[in-house]
Amino acid sequence: MKRLARLLASLVVLAAMTAWAAAQTVVIAQGTDAVTLDPHDVTDSPTATVVSHMYETLFELQPNGDIVPHLATGYEVSADGTVWTIDLRDDVMFHNGVPMTAEIVKGSFDRFLDPDNAFTFRFLLDRITDVAVTGEHQIQFTLSTPFAPLLAHLTHNTTAVVLPSYVAEQGEAFGEEAIGTGPFEFGSWDRGTRIDLETNDFYWGDVPQIDGVAFLAVPENTTRMALVESGEAHVAVRVPPQDIARLNAADGITVENVSSLRTIYMYFNHTLEPFTDVRVRQAFNHAVNNEEIAEFVLGGAVRPSDAAIAPGIFGYTPVGGYEYDPERARELLAEAGFPDGLETTLYSPTGRYLQDIQITEAIQSQLAEVGIDATIETLEWSAYLDLTRQPAGENEVPVALLGWGTVTGDADYGLYALFHTSQHVPDGSNRAFYSNPEVDALLDEARVNTNPDEREALYAEALEIINADAPWLFLHSETQLVAVNDAVNGLVIHPTERVLAWNVTVD
Amino acid sequence: MLEYTLRRILIALPAIFGVIVVVFAMVRLAPGDPAVLLAGEFADQATIERIRERFGLDRSMPEQFAAFVSNLAQGDLGRSTRTNRLVTEDLAQFFPNTLELAFGAIIVALVIGIPAGVLSAVKRNTWVDALVTFIALLGVSMPVFWFGLLAILFFSVDLGWFPVAGRGTFSHVVLPAITLGVSSTAIIARMTRSSMLEVLDQDYVRTARAKGVLGRTTIIKHALRNALVPVVTIGGLEFGRLMAGAVLTETVFTWPGVGRLLVDSILARDYPVVQGAVLLIAVSFIVVNLLVDLIYGLIDPRIRYD
Amino acid sequence: MTNAATETTKKAPQRRRPRWLKRLLRNPLAVLGFLIIGFFLVVVAAAPFLSPYPPADQSLRTTYLPPGTGVSWGGPEGQFGLWVSPATRSPIGGVKVDESEAYPVKFFVRGEPYEWAGGLIKSDLRLFGVDGPVRYHLLGTDEQGRDVLSRLIHGAWISLFIGLISVGIGVGIGVPVGAISGFLGGATDMVVQRLVDIMLAFPGILLAIVLVATFGTGLGNVMIAVGIASIPVYARLVRGSVLSVKNREYVEAARAMGKRGMPTLFRHVIPNSLAPIIVQSSLQMAIAILFAAGLGFLGLGARPPQPEWGLMLARGREYLAVAPHVATFPGLAIVLVVLGFNLVGDALRDALDPRG
């Protein structure tokens, strides 16, 4: 009888605890809803954030830039650099109870690499020609050429391991629900509004101490901030700079400021006059005060650029950037044959990057000071992307604002696609049509060289040349401004623009 | 009545087909390419080509149209190029939300608009009439998104009476419904006023009034019953307009409705969803018009369908 | 019909103004509407003179200052009038007013030079301004430190043009189409009415959104899109009144005398449908301005840095929590102008309605 009473009492306590725990769902308000839950098909940060809670990669890029094994335990590279052998954890289980094997991992990479699937980020691993199972928990990648950034690329969230049998079973509907290996399981998805994830109690690593995570889709900035102010959400991403001071002053809310790997710049079209002249490009760089813009347009929340890539990326070296010097800018313009200034058009997206159009307007007025009469052209994003990637000869965009997130944390990803001659649009992403044989040679060499120190030196030299050539109007590297309720501890705001609640506790 | 309904549907078919053709062509003529957009800033040409192939965008326009029409005949609107979801599923999820919002708005409009219109008619050419008219016109002159934002700031953020965004409970729908309903309220008030005036001017009402046979309240009741017929018509038309016009309200209140889905899809060049949403809106607009005509007949037996 | 006719003949001798005009001018709401529109037209015509500064002048040191920052009554030595002290915003968010300096506000001030009316007027005379090296911002500044009042004043013509051009398109295409459709009848009418059905099955703002997305954003396209969206309304309206006038005696008579179809149509039928067109056009001005603002709000309208009111409002909403004035004033401006056209349109409808 006594024992029964004790049992009942403990049950009551247990129930109470469960009820208490049920309240511990961390609510994260993002700007848009997830597009898909298929990790291989992710192209945007809000989706990557959601998916990263359910699916995992072989290696993990830590916020400090270190790469550590995650679903893998270690790796070995053959002497010629073309065969990578990777050992896998043997204690990993998918949410439906299926243990992770080398066979499954191979199936996942085969799916990612299948050209018919046309995944956007397939190019990250496209040097892999074969994936082989060499043990129950060991796989082997064979590469067409040595490829130094491979490890960094294996940390990218799109290379996460999926369960091929589940993919086959779901067919076209695969992206609507999820079965991964991560610390959270798929719960429900109310399209356009909310996604609920539940804690995976059988997680191989540290089981999260909260009961679940919910992601809200709230496009209006004002509304998203109001949600965190009213306590309806614990976390709100993309805080507008003008709200930082106000939110910090509010009770129980702190705005976290974490640097991002995204660089914001304006490129000059090297196929169009007058941007063929390096003096004109340098003049623009001297005419624009990117420190003032960083301070007043972006509330001091960003870092003015001193190189084409951001700190925190492997291969970054500060190479100086350009001093704000309107006098020098006028001199350079005069030398280039424009003593009375010139006219041009600045293309800008609106609402794509933090304060993008505000930045462009500020640049317009600063350029006017040195006699550059710039008109602003804004397009909606799809037309913008289309227009800026027209081939040389048809491309009539002279100057345009863009951002580039080096999400792998390796300079190759940040420089090769943007500055290598082979990458001129529409083949790659070199929208400036920048071409310098020296830079090409350095980038090619850094790709195949596997010695980290030598790579770093190669990138430093390339950054130096790029800086002097001024193919861009260098602006700043972005930061992620995230409003967090003070009761939430352990939230990771990752430089790859993901918010991770893996180890969160709530007071 | 059945024959009438069928005839109306037959007449509507060419219009719907026309809408489909126009929208199909227009989204494809627009600058911007869904494959480029999907591939993002990072993509190379080969990936873009593969994405085009995957969604059949590499085929000629007539081929794509033929495929679209033959699928449509089987009730298949295709899959979103952005989310890979079935368009029909997306619409089934978003459309009820829009209906909920439009329904709330029309209730607001009727509950406030009809009494305001009656008051205005009864107090014709007095300052009360002028005031009601002025407020009604102010209502139609207000940009909905501005009104919505101010409402959020005041009622949700400052006073904390209603949730800021999202949907689910009754209190979620209050502010969006009022915001969306403002202009309809004004239109219904104006309509009620003029149709009341018409009834009040009719000889038998005048006579009854002059002789003092009937009490004031009775007259108003009687007049209102007759005046409601055109009001129902306008109410129905407003309902159709609201379903489509909810785009701005849905944006401000983060309401996951068809309007927002349509705008997002246009911006994302998500052709199948754009086509599906437009088709749905056009069809529901036509259906609402038809229903209004049929209800009209039920209220006013003088109208016959032949 | 007979009643109205006898009434007209009876009153004819002492009539000075048409009845509808009298009725219109007796309506205080109509007068208010005309006053608003008149004010609006004056603002459009004299924009650079009325605006304190050029609309694009920005300064990152004076972003979103609240209305009237630095303005105080009475000078440093107790002088009469409004005085202005320099105000700046620090990057952390605070506004600092330097009270040690102050300059008087004067009625007429020589400010930034401007050209107006296509270069016919060159001047630097502005109404109200500070006599000194400091700026005053009656309605505050926006996120780029631009004077909100100046932008509102310079944005007025955009709204007026959006209204006029889109109404012009609606009338220019809708009226002839509706008239021809109604006059010819038969197969032409059938085809035209089905086309109108297609457009009506696709409510206004959505049609405008799809059109703008297709042809690209920008003011020109917004005007065209809003204009096209109004075509079916005019076509229906005119067709209806053409049908009702078509069979009246004088048209029949004109026909019998051997006049050909089209000239008859334009000589007799169109003038008779004028009243509803005018009413509709006034209301359509209001709708067009609202639509354009809505498109601007969705990012599909005018392009920055144009001072279009809908766009200003859309940008300002990002600052609602810290600087509500940036979105409030453009909103009020839209309400005011749209209200003006609605008041006039509504009153015109009442005045022209023979039953009223």
Side-chain angles (χ1 to χ4, degrees):
Chain A
M1 198 59 206
K2 219 177 182 182
R3 272 176 64 188
L4 188 66
R6 204 182 295 162
L7 188 69
L8 276 176
S10 62
L11 273 178
V12 168
V13 171
L14 197 68
M17 277 171 68
T18 332
W20 170 242
Q24 304 287 313
T25 292
V26 170
V27 181
I28 299 174
Q30 304 203 91
T32 49
D33 196 10
V35 172
T36 174
L37 298 183
D38 178 347
H40 294 168
D41 211 8
V42 172
T43 53
D44 62 306
S45 301
T47 307
T49 292
V50 176
V51 168
S52 295
H53 286 80
M54 297 182 289
Y55 287 99
E56 297 174 293
T57 48
L58 295 187
F59 294 88
E60 188 198 336
L61 176 69
Q62 297 199 317
N64 63 8
D66 290 346
I67 295 176
V68 296
H70 193 68
L71 289 180
T73 54
Y75 71 102
E76 228 168 86
V77 189
S78 67
D80 67 351
T82 59
V83 178
W84 291 55
T85 308
I86 294 168
D87 290 310
L88 306 168
R89 295 192 72 94
D90 56 8
D91 56 351
V92 178
M93 224 185 351
F94 282 90
H95 299 148
N96 60 355
V98 174
M100 184 184 81
T101 61
E103 203 59 55
I104 286 173
V105 176
K106 172 183 156 51
S108 175
F109 278 97
D110 284 343
R111 174 176 190 264
F112 183 71
L113 291 167
D114 185 348
D116 289 342
N117 287 331
F119 293 125
T120 302
F121 281 94
R122 177 183 179 275
F123 72 90
L124 288 174
L125 303 181
D126 63 4
R127 272 163 207 76
I128 296 177
T129 52
D130 182 58
V131 185
V133 174
T134 47
E136 201 188 333
H137 293 104
Q138 191 187 63
I139 57 165
Q140 207 168 61
F141 293 129
T142 309
L143 277 59
S144 53
T145 53
F147 188 60
L150 186 72
L151 198 62
H153 287 193
L154 286 172
T155 68
H156 193 265
N157 58 272
T158 57
T159 66
V161 176
V162 301
L163 184 56
S165 60
Y166 180 66
V167 175
E169 184 189 314
Q170 292 290 99
E172 292 277 10
F174 174 63
E176 291 171 25
E177 290 178 16
I179 287 186
T181 58
F184 294 92
E185 305 180 11
F186 176 75
S188 60
W189 187 357
D190 184 5
R191 295 271 161 174
T193 314
R194 184 183 174 110
I195 298 176
D196 271 288
L197 309 184
E198 292 152 17
T199 295
N200 170 12
D201 292 322
F202 303 98
Y203 184 54
W204 60 268
D206 294 331
V207 176
Q209 294 174 42
I210 47 173
D211 205 57
V213 194
F215 299 93
L216 303 183
V218 191
E220 281 293 315
N221 287 340
T222 316
T223 317
R224 198 167 59 251
M225 297 311 120
L227 278 174
V228 85
E229 283 174 89
S230 70
E232 286 171 69
H234 295 98
V235 180
V237 304
R238 291 180 71 116
V239 176
Q242 64 273 12
D243 283 333
I244 300 173
R246 191 176 58 85
L247 289 173
N248 274 331
D251 247 4
I253 299 172
T254 306
V255 178
E256 304 284 349
N257 183 342
V258 177
S259 60
S260 146
L261 300 181
R262 187 188 296 277
T263 306
I264 303 294
Y265 59 92
M266 276 192 182
Y267 69 80
F268 303 112
N269 187 333
H270 290 54
T271 66
L272 296 180
E273 298 287 347
F275 300 108
T276 44
D277 190 328
V278 66
R279 288 168 299 193
V280 173
R281 304 195 301 260
Q282 287 171 340
F284 271 69
N285 273 291
H286 282 301
V288 169
N289 187 348
N290 57 3
E291 292 192 1
E292 188 182 52
I293 290 174
E295 202 164 326
F296 289 93
V297 181
L298 295 148
V302 300
R303 181 180 181 283
S305 292
D306 51 13
I309 49 175
I313 295 170
F314 176 84
Y316 161 82
T317 306
V319 289
Y322 286 79
E323 282 291 307
Y324 172 61
D325 188 348
E327 212 36 62
R328 179 81 191 117
R330 275 188 214 101
E331 280 169 32
L332 283 164
L333 284 176
E335 280 172 36
F338 299 99
D340 304 323
L342 55 91
E343 285 180 16
T344 190
T345 306
L346 308 175
Y347 280 71
S348 172
T350 51
R352 177 76 187 180
Y353 309 110
L354 198 61
Q355 308 286 92
D356 45 15
I357 181 64
Q358 285 87 343
I359 294 167
T360 308
E361 287 180 359
I363 289 173
Q364 180 193 36
S365 107
Q366 292 177 349
L367 290 177
E369 303 271 304
V370 302
I372 297 170
D373 179 13
T375 45
I376 294 178
E377 189 80 23
T378 58
L379 295 168
E380 35 132 353
W381 186 239
S382 67
Y384 192 80
L385 273 186
D386 212 22
L387 206 63
T388 53
R389 67 182 291 285
Q390 296 299 315
E394 294 165 36
N395 196 319
E396 282 165 4
V397 178
V399 188
L401 182 99
L402 273 175
W404 184 268
T406 306
V407 283
T408 57
D410 188 283
D412 175 70
Y413 184 83
L415 297 179
Y416 195 86
L418 296 174
F419 295 109
H420 197 278
T421 308
S422 68
Q423 300 294 308
H424 286 181
V425 285
D427 295 319
S429 297
N430 187 346
R431 286 173 156 79
F433 299 102
Y434 173 71
S435 180
N436 185 329
E438 278 181 79
V439 171
D440 287 352
L442 288 165
L443 294 180
D444 282 332
E445 167 63 17
R447 248 191 173 187
V448 290
N449 191 325
T450 44
N451 180 323
D453 293 340
E454 287 174 26
R455 291 188 74 217
E456 208 145 31
L458 291 166
Y459 283 129
E461 202 181 327
L463 286 173
E464 198 79 57
I465 300 171
I466 290 169
N467 190 58
D469 280 345
W472 288 357
L473 171 55
F474 297 99
L475 294 173
H476 55 263
S477 50
E478 271 196 350
T479 51
Q480 309 174 69
L481 296 165
V482 182
V484 185
N485 189 310
D486 291 343
V488 173
N489 302 310
L491 188 78
V492 173
I493 299 160
H494 202 275
T496 53
E497 300 191 345
R498 290 174 298 158
V499 175
L500 303 173
W502 294 345
N503 301 314
V504 158
T505 56
V506 180
D507 295 341
Chain B
M1 183 134 165
L2 184 69
E3 195 191 326
Y4 172 81
T5 312
L6 283 175
R7 204 170 65 221
R8 281 287 299 266
I9 292 172
L10 277 180
I11 291 176
L13 281 179
I16 290 176
F17 187 76
V19 169
I20 293 173
V21 175
V22 170
V23 168
F24 187 90
M26 279 207 332
V27 286
R28 280 169 178 76
L29 288 176
D33 179 333
V36 172
L37 202 62
L38 279 173
E41 297 103 307
F42 326 102
D44 53 274
Q45 189 63 20
T47 310
I48 291 171
E49 294 298 338
R50 277 197 297 271
I51 293 176
R52 265 199 201 118
E53 219 172 291
R54 176 166 147 194
F55 293 109
L57 297 165
D58 53 338
R59 290 183 290 169
S60 73
M61 265 244 270
E63 271 180 290
Q64 289 185 44
F65 188 68
F68 172 66
V69 172
S70 80
N71 287 337
L72 183 63
Q74 298 158 32
D76 177 11
L77 285 167
R79 283 179 183 276
S80 158
T81 55
R82 205 160 52 107
T83 64
N84 202 33
R85 292 229 316 165
L86 284 173
V87 174
T88 41
E89 273 178 33
D90 262 350
L91 293 178
Q93 188 153 9
F94 284 85
F95 191 54
N97 300 344
T98 297
L99 276 183
E100 183 184 336
L101 185 56
F103 202 64
I106 204 76
I107 287 178
V108 169
L110 292 175
V111 166
I112 304 175
I114 292 179
V118 170
L119 185 68
S120 193
V122 172
K123 304 262 179 191
R124 184 186 185 183
N125 291 337
T126 63
W127 64 270
V128 179
D129 181 24
L131 186 69
V132 171
T133 305
F134 181 78
I135 292 174
L137 291 174
L138 195 64
V140 270
S141 305
M142 200 99 75
V144 278
F145 45 96
W146 188 65
F147 184 83
L149 285 170
L150 295 186
I152 291 180
L153 263 197
F154 189 67
F155 291 109
S156 301
V157 177
D158 285 357
L159 298 176
W161 289 357
F162 301 102
V164 172
R167 56 171 290 282
T169 67
F170 176 73
S171 65
H172 279 100
V173 81
V174 175
L175 284 186
I178 291 176
T179 304
L180 183 60
V182 167
S183 70
S184 303
T185 308
I187 289 169
I188 292 205
R190 296 296 292 152
M191 191 65 210
T192 309
R193 176 183 183 267
S194 61
S195 88
M196 273 291 281
L197 285 180
E198 211 164 299
V199 179
L200 288 175
D201 270 354
Q202 270 162 11
D203 290 342
Y204 66 97
V205 183
R206 278 192 188 171
T207 324
R209 244 174 156 178
K211 287 185 176 164
V213 177
L214 298 169
R216 205 179 153 75
T217 332
T218 325
I219 293 173
I220 293 175
K221 256 189 204 157
H222 170 79
L224 184 59
R225 197 179 308 136
N226 286 296
L228 272 185
V229 179
V231 172
V232 168
T233 318
I234 289 293
L237 291 177
E238 278 301 303
F239 188 70
R241 202 181 59 87
L242 287 176
M243 280 192 303
V247 188
L248 292 164
T249 314
E250 287 173 0
T251 304
V252 173
F253 288 94
T254 320
W255 191 269
V258 175
R260 216 180 101 202
L261 180 71
L262 177 65
V263 172
D264 287 350
S265 308
I266 289 177
L267 293 177
R269 298 287 181 271
D270 193 343
Y271 299 159
V273 179
V274 174
Q275 287 155 196
V278 164
L279 187 64
L280 179 68
I281 290 168
V283 168
S284 51
F285 203 68
I286 288 167
V287 167
V288 168
N289 280 349
L290 179 60
L291 285 179
V292 167
D293 282 356
L294 295 177
I295 293 171
Y296 204 86
L298 292 180
I299 301 180
D300 188 346
R302 282 171 302 181
I303 295 166
R304 291 182 51 204
Y305 301 100
D306 40 37
Chain C
M1 192 67 220
T2 7
N3 264 344
T6 43
E7 219 173 344
T8 323
T9 13
K10 234 191 315 185
K11 283 195 177 171
Q14 74 255 53
R15 183 174 68 174
R16 292 229 176 79
R17 288 174 180 163
R19 262 191 67 182
W20 63 268
L21 191 59
K22 259 190 190 163
R23 215 182 309 174
L24 190 65
L25 294 178
R26 261 208 315 266
N27 183 344
L29 292 181
V31 175
L32 179 64
F34 279 120
L35 283 177
I36 293 173
I37 295 174
F39 174 69
F40 177 53
L41 292 178
V42 169
V43 168
V44 170
F49 170 67
L50 294 174
S51 74
Y53 307 106
D57 268 23
Q58 51 177 298
S59 157
L60 295 181
R61 308 293 167 122
T62 59
T63 50
Y64 44 96
L65 298 176
T69 307
V71 178
S72 55
W73 183 257
E77 283 141 39
Q79 300 98 319
F80 187 75
L82 283 176
W83 289 69
V84 181
S85 302
T88 47
R89 175 172 294 277
S90 71
I92 316 129
V95 175
K96 221 173 59 204
V97 178
D98 179 6
E99 304 226 328
S100 67
E101 283 179 68
Y103 304 92
V105 174
K106 295 196 169 166
F107 259 110
F108 297 100
V109 154
R110 301 253 164 226
E112 297 276 331
Y114 55 86
E115 282 185 18
W116 195 234
L120 275 177
I121 302 168
K122 283 183 190 171
S123 172
D124 59 357
L125 193 68
R126 288 168 187 272
L127 184 69
F128 294 119
V130 191
D131 191 11
V134 58
R135 293 198 159 187
Y136 87 113
H137 304 287
L138 202 59
L139 302 185
T141 59
D142 70 2
E143 71 282 3
Q144 308 285 137
R146 295 173 296 212
D147 185 50
V148 171
L149 177 63
S150 299
R151 285 175 67 72
L152 282 180
I153 290 174
H154 279 271
W157 75 267
I158 300 180
S159 290
L160 180 71
F161 263 62
I162 289 172
L164 285 179
I165 293 191
S166 49
V167 166
I169 292 173
V171 171
I173 301 178
V175 169
V177 165
I180 292 167
S181 170
F183 200 73
L184 294 182
T188 321
D189 188 35
M190 179 71 190
V191 171
V192 170
Q193 289 314 309
R194 290 295 79 77
L195 287 175
V196 169
D197 276 346
I198 293 176
M199 292 177 82
L200 284 178
F202 209 86
I205 184 98
L206 275 192
L207 186 62
I209 288 172
V210 174
L211 285 170
V212 169
T214 307
F215 298 117
T217 55
L219 263 186
N221 288 342
V222 167
M223 294 177 192
I224 295 172
V226 177
I228 291 178
S230 73
I231 291 175
V233 183
Y234 283 102
R236 272 282 150 86
L237 191 78
V238 173
R239 176 179 176 266
S241 46
V242 165
L243 286 181
S244 73
V245 188
K246 187 169 145 186
N247 300 320
R248 283 194 199 160
E249 301 83 18
Y250 53 87
V251 180
E252 292 279 327
R255 259 194 190 159
M257 284 163 68
K259 291 187 181 168
R260 302 288 298 255
M262 284 300 145
T264 321
L265 176 73
F266 286 105
R267 196 149 322 137
H268 297 292
V269 178
I270 298 276
N272 276 292
S273 343
L274 214 54
I277 293 177
I278 292 173
V279 172
Q280 186 58 36
S281 297
S282 181
L283 299 174
Q284 198 64 38
M285 286 287 289
I287 292 172
I289 294 170
L290 276 185
F291 273 16
L295 288 171
F297 181 77
L298 291 173
L300 290 168
R303 294 174 184 172
Q306 275 168 329
E308 196 267 317
W309 294 346
L311 187 65
M312 287 172 70
L313 210 170
R315 286 279 291 277
R317 78 185 194 271
E318 300 285 325
Y319 301 85
L320 268 179
V322 285
H325 67 274
V326 183
T328 308
F329 291 123
L332 282 175
I334 295 172
V335 173
L336 190 68
V337 168
V338 173
L339 179 66
F341 284 106
N342 273 331
L343 284 170
V344 168
D346 191 74
L348 269 176
R349 183 169 46 201
D350 272 0
L352 291 170
D353 184 353
R355 285 171 312 183

